[in-house]
Amino acid sequence: MPLSAQIDNNNTKWMEYLEEMVDDEMDETSFENLSTDLSYLADHPFNLNTITKKDLDRLPFLSDIQIENLLYYLYRYAPLTSIYELRNVEDLDLQTIEYLLPFVYLGEEKEESRPPSPEKIVRYAKQEILIRYDNCFQEKAGYKHVSKEEKSEHPNRYYLGEKFYTSLKYGFRYKNKIQLGFVAEKDPGEAFWNNQHSGFDYYSMHVEIKDLGFLKYLLAGDYRASFGQGLVLNTDFSMAKTSDVININKKASGIKRHNSTGESNAFRGLAFTLGFQQTNISLFYSQQKTDASVDDSTVFSFKTDGYHRTFNDLLKKNESENRLLGGNFSWQNDYLSMGITAIYYDFGGKKLNQEWKPYNMYNLRDVNNYNAGFNYLWKKKKFIAQGETAIGKNGAWASLNTLQFHPASYCNIVLLQRYYAKDYQAKYASAAGSSSVQNENGYYLGTSFTPVSYWKISASADWVEYPWLKYLVDMPSRATEIILRADYVIPKHWSMNGRYKKKVKSKNVALDSQPTKAVLPVTQHSLRYQLNYQSEKGFRSKTQVNMSINQSDMQQTTRGYMFSQSLGFVPVKFPLQGDVYIAYFHTDNWDTRISAYEKNILYAFSAPSFYGEGIRCCLTMKWSLSSVVSLYLKGAWTHYFDRDVISSGLEEIQGKNKTDMYCLLKWKF
């Protein structure tokens, strides 16, 4: 394995980890934030000799045991003189090391005895500007050229702005002490410079300062927050049930800056952390306008897609005022850590009262709410136990507990139990399990082991019970999910893996013989095989096969598959590198759609879903114009064989083809 890749800025092995987590039910906003964070960290790696647990917790592919073993090794043998020493760290397999390499380097970093002067900060700071532009070449229904009278008479049939996407980012960084960021964005269809609006639609900024004595962290502006297991507060990325069976539990990131273009899952205000030996105290406040459907006294629903493209969108823009006040107290030693998190939030004096449906009977309907939770983590030799129990204003509670057992260097076992009461109400919670921390009881068992050299086997099973109704499920139900995965690394150049996933869940099914829908179990199978090759001269190849099957006792079985091939070339000294991707897909319907990760420009995440029959072609390039200026380009073309109209509504395209272009200019100085 070429461990010298630690100095290669083109190392993108960590993207394979993102690919493993791609799923049809994924939260795209959460993935976009994670992709942005990891892209930034790969571009600004940590010094391995001074890396901290908090730094390592930001890398989701590292398990708690791997982090503990790496920190212990650094404690005993630092400073490291060679990146090859990572091979000596217990439990760090070759695949994990390859994921880790882009985020670390070896070097010396002297601590400053006193705060730097403003002149020194400006002189030694690193800055960057990112300008992005995307466009779709085909005309969509929302951009049709019609008369002003037609648009005035039917304002919601047409977009108010231009069809391109654009964003601007500025970053300022002095070591790991001070960071400033500014983000501006316009989505496709939003007005940029016309009679409707001038300028970007969304603006975000932040100032972040670290390690000023007992003031460990200070942030003013936009931020995300996560504590414990996420039962009280988590607006950061939360692990899904994927092939990474050991890392199912939540790694609390505390308070962190929000520097992506995502317009939801972030707060706006002031946050800070004070540190006193083994104790940390975090306090945070947020007050921000959010999109919502409201009247004078009621908030009916929140709009979280961030789009302001039509007249109806503008009617909901910034109509609700969300306020949040909270804090976290944590204490830890070498074996035990504990914390308490509490938050209070309201909606600017209005009552949240969404339209009543049987499945949302127990959702929050009040002018305010509060949640509090206690979390813990205990580690002893081969065991790690952690969890959180939380309660809401109405007295309902939720609990999540995980036990991880590490009997040998080649084996890991994790057991997770969760209980989320059907009436537990926590607007800002996100934890292991389903999309909301409510109405769920479940047990999860996962194991990962290396039976022989170069082989890694992973397996997991999840059993879930839903005591109350769910959206599109008109009765209490159950679900099971099984994942099996095998990885084989052929030394130096080749690797391959295969994954099988089976999910059985209940769903409303319309039957021809009955006037009402029946709730029946639906079984979904998905298979994926991948073969990778990477040469020492920079050539890389990935061949992938995806299959999906959807079965129901009362409905016809449907199927789908996709074959894809990508080829890339990353020369060491030549300024131009590129990847070519081509895929053929054929699925019976939306239920058997295929979601596949594909390479994109820097700081952009792409895992589109496809159904029907067609081909997908992409060309991605990076051109280093100079040592400080880089240009990223991507062209994507999709051709459908089974339709003459693509998408629907305002996004409808007349024809069989859809062509997109993505551009990013990066300037570092």
Side-chain angles (χ1 to χ4, degrees):
M1 182 185 64
L3 288 180
S4 59
Q6 61 132 355
I7 60 174
D8 180 10
N9 293 328
N10 300 317
N11 189 338
T12 57
K13 291 290 292 183
W14 60 271
M15 293 183 181
E16 295 178 10
Y17 181 79
L18 282 182
E19 183 175 352
E20 294 306 320
M21 294 189 291
V22 170
D23 189 88
D24 295 332
E25 300 177 0
M26 64 184 178
D27 179 356
E28 292 188 9
T29 300
S30 183
F31 266 80
E32 182 76 31
N33 289 337
L34 177 64
S35 177
T36 299
D37 289 346
L38 292 181
S39 297
Y40 178 85
L41 294 178
D43 209 31
H44 303 83
F46 300 111
N47 184 348
L48 190 57
N49 282 319
T50 59
I51 202 166
T52 66
K53 184 180 185 303
K54 188 172 183 179
D55 297 332
L56 294 171
D57 280 338
R58 299 177 67 179
L59 305 177
F61 50 81
L62 292 177
S63 69
D64 292 313
I65 288 177
Q66 288 173 330
I67 291 174
E68 290 298 322
N69 289 340
L70 177 56
L71 291 174
Y72 176 73
Y73 187 89
L74 292 172
Y75 172 76
R76 288 198 60 183
Y77 301 108
L80 306 188
T81 58
S82 170
I83 202 71
Y84 288 92
E85 292 187 59
L86 287 174
R87 289 177 170 176
N88 300 327
V89 179
E90 187 178 359
D91 295 319
L92 276 190
D93 56 86
L94 293 179
Q95 184 183 64
T96 304
I97 293 175
E98 286 190 323
Y99 290 160
L100 178 62
L101 288 178
F103 301 100
V104 296
Y105 71 95
L106 289 179
E108 296 182 3
E109 186 168 329
K110 297 180 180 180
E111 290 292 330
E112 295 181 284
S113 58
R114 52 186 174 181
S117 64
E119 293 80 9
K120 185 176 181 180
I121 292 175
V122 173
R123 181 179 180 182
Y124 293 103
K126 296 180 179 180
Q127 303 177 69
E128 67 179 19
I129 294 176
L130 302 167
I131 302 173
R132 178 175 165 182
Y133 175 87
D134 304 346
N135 208 344
C136 176
F137 288 95
Q138 285 76 22
E139 183 182 66
K140 298 180 180 180
Y143 302 108
K144 285 183 178 179
H145 296 285
V146 296
S147 65
K148 293 182 179 180
E149 292 75 14
E150 166 66 14
K151 286 190 175 182
S152 298
E153 186 175 353
H154 304 287
N156 293 304
R157 291 184 183 178
Y158 306 98
Y159 291 139
L160 299 173
E162 304 86 351
K163 68 176 186 177
F164 63 86
Y165 169 96
T166 187
S167 66
L168 170 67
K169 284 188 177 183
Y170 167 76
F172 176 100
R173 179 174 181 261
Y174 174 73
K175 296 186 176 180
N176 200 32
K177 303 285 187 181
I178 301 173
Q179 285 185 291
L180 290 80
F182 171 80
V183 177
E185 182 205 42
K186 182 203 90 75
D187 289 308
E190 294 176 342
F192 182 64
W193 208 269
N194 57 30
N195 294 331
Q196 301 294 334
H197 180 77
S198 297
F200 293 94
D201 176 78
Y202 169 73
Y203 295 93
S204 170
M205 61 188 307
H206 66 270
V207 178
E208 179 185 76
I209 301 175
K210 297 181 181 179
D211 298 324
L212 290 179
F214 64 84
L215 180 60
K216 299 299 182 183
Y217 190 85
L218 173 65
L219 191 147
D222 290 356
Y223 65 92
R224 304 198 297 270
S226 173
F227 296 97
Q229 295 295 304
L231 299 186
V232 172
L233 177 63
N234 175 27
T235 57
D236 201 8
F237 178 77
S238 185
M239 292 298 297
K241 291 171 285 188
T242 67
S243 300
D244 190 2
V245 300
I246 300 302
N247 288 330
I248 186 66
N249 58 288
K250 176 74 186 74
K251 292 181 181 178
S253 57
I255 302 165
K256 63 191 297 187
R257 67 195 186 115
H258 179 71
N259 196 45
S260 76
T261 54
E263 298 181 34
S264 60
N265 292 336
F267 300 117
R268 178 165 293 179
L270 181 68
F272 61 89
T273 299
L274 305 177
F276 308 93
Q277 296 181 344
Q278 297 174 313
T279 302
N280 285 327
I281 300 174
S282 297
L283 298 173
F284 43 91
Y285 175 76
S286 170
Q287 183 170 345
Q288 61 186 141
K289 297 286 188 178
T290 57
D291 297 351
S293 296
V294 304
D295 64 15
D296 292 339
S297 60
T298 307
V299 177
F300 298 105
S301 64
F302 292 104
K303 185 176 183 294
T304 59
D305 59 14
Y307 290 132
H308 305 116
R309 304 183 291 188
T310 67
F311 182 72
N312 275 345
D313 291 341
L314 293 182
L315 290 178
K316 301 175 183 179
K317 185 176 182 179
N318 295 335
E319 286 297 310
S320 175
E321 183 176 51
N322 289 7
R323 297 181 296 199
L324 176 137
L325 176 65
N328 171 266
F329 172 87
S330 64
W331 173 90
Q332 65 176 15
N333 60 20
D334 293 338
Y335 304 100
L336 179 66
S337 65
M338 297 181 292
I340 297 174
T341 306
I343 61 173
Y344 166 88
Y345 49 95
D346 61 38
F347 313 105
K350 296 183 178 181
K351 180 180 180 179
L352 178 61
N353 190 16
Q354 66 184 117
E355 181 183 359
W356 189 92
K357 299 287 185 181
Y359 67 85
N360 68 24
M361 175 179 175
Y362 294 102
N363 285 9
L364 177 63
R365 290 179 171 84
D366 208 336
V367 294
N368 57 43
N369 193 36
Y370 51 80
N371 301 95
F374 169 79
N375 64 275
Y376 68 93
L377 185 149
W378 171 81
K379 51 191 176 184
K380 185 67 173 179
K381 295 183 179 179
K382 300 181 181 295
F383 291 90
I384 293 180
Q386 58 185 311
E388 183 176 22
T389 297
I391 191 170
K393 177 182 176 181
N394 63 350
W397 60 287
S399 183
L400 185 152
N401 300 276
T402 304
L403 178 63
Q404 188 172 339
F405 177 46
H406 181 57
S409 60
Y410 53 83
C411 182
N412 279 287
I413 300 171
V414 61
L415 174 65
L416 182 146
Q417 170 273 333
R418 61 193 185 273
Y419 167 79
Y420 307 151
K422 61 185 179 183
D423 54 344
Y424 180 66
Q425 300 165 352
K427 175 174 170 31
Y428 298 108
S430 176
S434 297
S435 57
S436 63
V437 181
Q438 188 182 48
N439 186 37
E440 184 172 319
N441 306 328
Y443 293 91
Y444 173 92
L445 177 64
T447 182
S448 174
F449 60 98
T450 307
V452 293
S453 297
Y454 309 120
W455 277 96
K456 183 178 179 181
I457 308 297
S458 304
S460 69
D462 192 41
W463 299 271
V464 191
E465 181 182 74
Y466 305 105
W468 187 244
L469 317 185
K470 291 173 60 67
Y471 179 64
L472 298 181
V473 186
D474 292 342
M475 64 180 296
S477 59
R478 296 180 179 179
T480 59
E481 184 174 300
I482 296 172
I483 298 177
L484 301 173
R485 177 184 167 96
D487 289 82
Y488 178 54
V489 178
I490 305 171
K492 291 188 177 181
H493 302 301
W494 292 90
S495 67
M496 65 178 179
N497 64 74
R499 187 189 78 168
Y500 167 72
K501 179 179 178 181
K502 177 183 178 181
K503 186 171 185 177
V504 182
K505 62 180 181 180
S506 298
K507 186 179 179 181
N508 290 346
V509 177
L511 303 178
D512 296 336
S513 59
Q514 298 181 11
T516 59
K517 295 180 180 179
V519 178
L520 299 174
V522 176
T523 303
Q524 297 173 324
H525 304 269
S526 64
L527 300 97
R528 181 174 67 200
Y529 171 78
Q530 188 178 108
L531 177 66
N532 302 302
Y533 171 80
Q534 179 139 5
S535 73
E536 295 177 352
K537 294 183 178 180
F539 176 77
R540 59 194 179 200
S541 169
K542 182 179 72 175
T543 305
Q544 184 167 303
V545 180
N546 291 71
M547 296 184 65
S548 64
I549 301 173
N550 201 73
Q551 294 177 320
S552 175
D553 293 338
M554 304 298 293
Q555 290 186 322
Q556 183 179 0
T557 298
T558 55
R559 297 175 175 84
Y561 58 87
M562 173 186 278
F563 301 99
S564 64
Q565 175 67 53
S566 65
L567 299 172
F569 187 53
V570 186
V572 177
K573 296 182 179 180
F574 194 66
L576 191 65
Q577 58 180 265
D579 290 83
V580 178
Y581 172 86
I582 185 169
Y584 170 78
F585 57 90
H586 189 293
T587 77
D588 292 335
N589 55 23
W590 175 253
D591 291 333
T592 53
R593 65 193 180 277
I594 303 291
S595 295
Y597 176 85
E598 59 186 37
K599 191 174 179 63
N600 207 339
I601 59 176
L602 184 67
Y603 295 127
F605 175 78
S606 179
S609 296
F610 299 99
Y611 74 100
E613 183 183 12
I615 57 175
R616 170 78 167 179
C617 301
C618 300
L619 173 64
T620 308
M621 302 175 62
K622 176 187 175 183
W623 184 11
S624 299
L625 301 173
S626 70
S627 60
V628 296
V629 179
S630 299
L631 178 65
Y632 298 81
L633 298 169
K634 177 182 177 180
W637 174 69
T638 308
H639 175 78
Y640 291 90
F641 299 115
D642 62 337
R643 69 194 68 175
D644 295 316
V645 177
I646 301 173
S647 195
S648 61
L650 299 183
E651 290 291 292
E652 182 179 280
I653 296 174
Q654 295 293 326
K656 298 177 177 290
N657 302 300
K658 185 175 185 293
T659 310
D660 297 287
M661 176 186 69
Y662 309 84
C663 306
L664 177 72
L665 182 67
K666 178 183 176 182
W667 177 29
K668 299 179 67 174
F669 55 98

